[in-house]
């Protein structure tokens, strides 16, 4: 991915909420305009986990992080997975158990900067794919277009959302220039809206408690289903971090709940898509067979800093190994 950690931080800073005020949530006309900006005259392929789509236009559900939007339909032919989606991350096995990873993360968290309390604020980078097809409906190229999302909200459910375009890149790793009409120019404001009181539909306005049981109850408020597997839990953590910047102690509670399970696999050491060193853990979904959730823990801070979803089996045009979403979480607001 052609931007490093400093570039990511710079993009996140540029995504800070603006002072321009809008008096109402997005209208369908505004959504359609946004769709035109991002889609231009290529085929925009989108997926938004756990959120509805309306005729291919993103519904602004309080507008949390715009993560990878990816749906492939009516394709008669498709190239290899890496030509349609970002390449899978690679990891080096370390022989660590989930308990070892938890111990390491907890130790690192005690030495890392942390907000003093949970903040109703989230910064993240996700992506969508732009696919170009020929007259035979064959995919000829795929562009990955990152988007940097900032959400800041209050206890009265007012808030502000801003989404800006990141630096696009070819899904197959090609280095030739990307045509301007294929993806928005980096820094382009894709979405900028202010929500009046009651406009942000957060699952709860209350921060989590300080115990494991209180955290479990809080996750249930975020939609963690009864009988959830580890993949469900990772998905719920992804939802949580779309609304909140948590303290290091709260990250430790999340990791304790997750890494105490027996359906978690330690992938080893690697780097996330911003080049940050991480420990990867994974869980195969029982509710969505063939889908695997990855959670990435920062080696330098111990915080949860990324989430990815990939296919372990073929699904339509998507071969096994296809990465269908990723989200990179930003630094805590100072």
């Amino acid at each position: 991915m052609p931007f490093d950690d400093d570039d990511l931080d710079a993009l996140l800073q540029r995504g800070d909420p603006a002072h321009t005020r809008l008096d109402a949530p997005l209208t369908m006309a505004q959504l359609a305009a946004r769709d035109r900006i991002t889609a231009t005259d290529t085929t925009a392929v989108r997926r938004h986990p756990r959120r509805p789509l309306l005729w291919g236009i993103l519904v602004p559900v309080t507008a949390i992080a715009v993560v990878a939007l990816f749906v492939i339909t009516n394709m008669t032919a498709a190239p290899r997975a890496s030509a349609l989606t970002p390449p899978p991350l690679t990891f080096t096995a370390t022989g660590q158990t989930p308990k070892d990873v938890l111990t390491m993360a907890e130790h690192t968290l005690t030495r890392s900067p942390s907000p003093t309390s949970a903040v109703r604020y989230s910064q993240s980078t996700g992506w969508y794919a732009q696919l170009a097809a020929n007259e035979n409906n064959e995919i000829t190229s795929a562009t990955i277009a990152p988007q940097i999302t900032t959400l800041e909200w209050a206890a009265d459910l007012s808030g502000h959302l801003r989404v800006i375009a990141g630096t696009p890149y070819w899904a197959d790793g090609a280095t030739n220039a990307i045509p301007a009409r294929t993806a928005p120019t980096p820094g382009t404001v894709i979405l900028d809206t202010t929500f009046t009181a009651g406009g942000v539909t957060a699952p709860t306005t209350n921060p989590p408690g300080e115990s494991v049981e209180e955290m479990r109850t809080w996750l249930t408020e975020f939609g963690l289903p009864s009988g959830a597997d580890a993949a469900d839990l990772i998905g719920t953590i992804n939802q949580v971090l779309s609304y909140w910047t948590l303290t290091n102690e709260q990250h430790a509670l999340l990791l304790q709940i997750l890494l105490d399970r027996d359906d978690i696999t330690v992938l080893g050491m690697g780097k996330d898509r911003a080049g940050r060193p991480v420990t990867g853990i994974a869980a195969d979904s029982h509710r969505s067979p063939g889908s695997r959730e990855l959670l990435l823990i920062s080696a330098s801070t111990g915080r949860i800093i990324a989430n990815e979803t990939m296919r372990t089996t073929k699904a339509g045009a998507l071969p096994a190994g296809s990465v269908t979403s990723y989200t990179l979480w930003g630094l805590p607001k100072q």
Side-chain angles (χ1 to χ4, degrees), residues 70 78-89 127 129 131 139 141-144 169-174 273 317-324:
F70 206 93
R80 58 191 173 85
S82 61
L84 282 180
T85 72
L89 297 176
W127 63 279
L131 302 185
I139 303 304
S141 66
T143 308
I144 304 302
Y169 60 98
W170 295 112
D172 63 4
R273 298 188 186 274
L318 289 179
S322 298
V323 175
T324 58

Side-chain angles (χ1 to χ4, degrees), residues 15 29 153 187 203 222 239 249 303 312 334:
W153 57 290
F222 265 88
Q239 286 283 76
E249 292 78 11
R303 294 174 67 87
T312 57
Q334 300 299 315

